[in-house]
């Protein structure tokens, strides 16, 4: 099963993607995590992506499609994957669908996580993430130990107010058109109310994935 998580930054795609992946027994793949690891490792890809990421701008489609090609060819994605934070532009959506078609596969469902803008900003400015395994946390201060891997919690550089504002604008201008595109292509897109308790949201998303 290939599931694409759509929705603005802060809607909980990462957290819910992790939960859905665990329940379905398939990996969650987040291009943001892949890129942050590349930045940390100082690879060529990371160096090229860093400035875009710090500003909250999108990394070029060619870079993202290169990552997706590698990811889809890896044995861990053979049974399926939850794709978090990709696709973010119409060319990415077209590219992903073409790559999948070449492998005789397709996107089974797009889940669109929806949340009020005030709550998005509040969530993003209050979150910390593990600098090692990238798990996001709400309400824990930087420096706290990650309960999952023992890493250290930090604030993401792009969670400062200016980058948050830019990321929301970028979402509206470049990612929202993907929603229209899925409708034009008659693909299965289900809207999920991303407010409330984590378990409630996971249940809504699991229900949306039922055949
Ligand atoms: P995320 O962790 O999904 O919020 O992504 C963090 C940053 O990585 C984004 O603000 C972009 O700069 C970059 N990024 C991640 N995924 C993509 C993508 N699919 N297309 C373009 N840029 C991306």
């Amino acid at each position: 099963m290939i599931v694409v998580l759509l929705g603005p930054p802060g809607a909980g795609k990462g957290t819910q993607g992790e939960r859905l992946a665990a329940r379905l027994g398939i990996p969650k793949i987040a291009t943001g995590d892949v890129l942050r690891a590349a930045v940390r490792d100082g690879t060529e890809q990371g160096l090229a992506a860093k400035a875009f990421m710090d500003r909250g701008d999108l990394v070029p489609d060619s870079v993202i499609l290169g990552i997706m090609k590698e990811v889809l060819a890896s044995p861990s994605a053979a049974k399926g994957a939850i794709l978090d934070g990709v696709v973010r532009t119409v060319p990415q959506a077209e590219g992903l669908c073409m790559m999948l078609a070449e492998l005789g596969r397709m996107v089974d469902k797009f889940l669109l996580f929806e949340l009020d803008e005030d709550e998005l900003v509040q969530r993003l400015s209050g979150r910390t993430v593990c600098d090692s395994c990238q798990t996001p946390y709400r309400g824990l201060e930087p420096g706290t130990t990650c309960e999952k891997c023992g890493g250290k919690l930090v604030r993401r550089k792009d969670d400062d107010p200016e980058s948050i504002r830019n990321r929301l604008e970028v979402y509206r201008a470049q990612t929202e058109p993907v929603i229209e595109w899925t409708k034009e292509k008659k693909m299965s897109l289900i809207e999920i109310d991303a407010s409330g308790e984590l378990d409630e949201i996971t249940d809504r998303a699991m229900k949306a994935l039922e055949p």
Side-chain angles (χ1 to χ4, degrees):
M1 179 182 251
I2 304 274
V3 179
V4 171
L5 306 185
L6 289 175
K13 300 184 299 295
T15 304
Q16 292 300 331
E18 208 55 74
R19 291 170 146 239
L20 295 176
R23 290 217 198 165
L24 296 167
I26 53 179
K28 181 198 84 160
I29 294 153
T31 37
D33 291 349
V34 173
L35 290 167
R36 276 184 292 277
V39 170
R40 217 179 26 241
D41 296 345
T43 66
E44 208 174 304
Q45 188 181 62
L47 292 176
K50 188 174 183 313
F52 293 98
M53 295 175 76
D54 286 349
R55 286 195 302 270
D57 284 337
L58 294 186
V59 170
D61 289 337
S62 55
V63 175
I64 299 298
L65 288 169
I67 294 174
M68 288 317 298
K69 194 164 189 174
E70 269 175 41
V71 161
L72 292 174
S74 74
S76 62
K79 276 204 301 179
I82 307 281
L83 303 182
D84 159 23
V86 65
V87 295
R88 269 171 145 112
T89 64
V90 170
Q92 287 182 21
E94 287 170 337
L96 173 68
C97 288
M98 255 164 55
M99 272 187 241
L100 286 171
E102 278 166 19
L103 299 168
R105 304 169 77 178
M106 61 186 280
V107 175
D108 292 278
K109 267 182 191 156
F110 288 82
L111 298 187
L112 172 60
F113 287 81
E114 295 188 302
L115 194 66
D116 184 78
E117 183 154 332
D118 287 346
E119 205 173 328
L120 292 173
V121 174
Q122 207 183 329
R123 278 193 192 176
L124 288 170
S125 42
R127 86 171 162 188
T128 46
V129 298
C130 173
D131 68 352
S132 175
C133 73
Q134 312 272 327
T135 300
Y137 290 89
R138 278 193 231 168
L140 292 184
E141 288 302 311
T144 309
T145 301
C146 171
E147 62 189 33
K148 216 167 142 192
C149 77
K152 220 186 325 139
L153 304 195
V154 293
R155 282 218 198 281
R156 268 172 53 170
K157 225 181 176 152
D158 58 353
D159 279 344
D160 67 278
E162 200 180 323
S163 299
I164 291 174
R165 245 190 324 274
N166 187 38
R167 283 156 69 204
L168 289 171
E169 264 170 41
V170 165
Y171 174 76
R172 278 191 289 269
Q174 300 189 55
T175 308
E176 275 188 353
V178 175
I179 298 168
E180 213 37 56
W181 179 87
T182 61
K183 291 180 184 162
E184 274 166 29
K185 299 283 170 193
K186 309 224 178 316
M187 308 192 85
S188 173
L189 175 125
I190 300 172
E191 291 163 16
I192 310 283
D193 172 4
S195 66
E197 296 300 318
L198 290 181
D199 285 341
E200 271 172 9
I201 307 167
T202 311
D203 289 344
R204 283 179 209 136
M206 283 301 291
K207 197 150 192 335
L209 293 178
E210 284 171 9

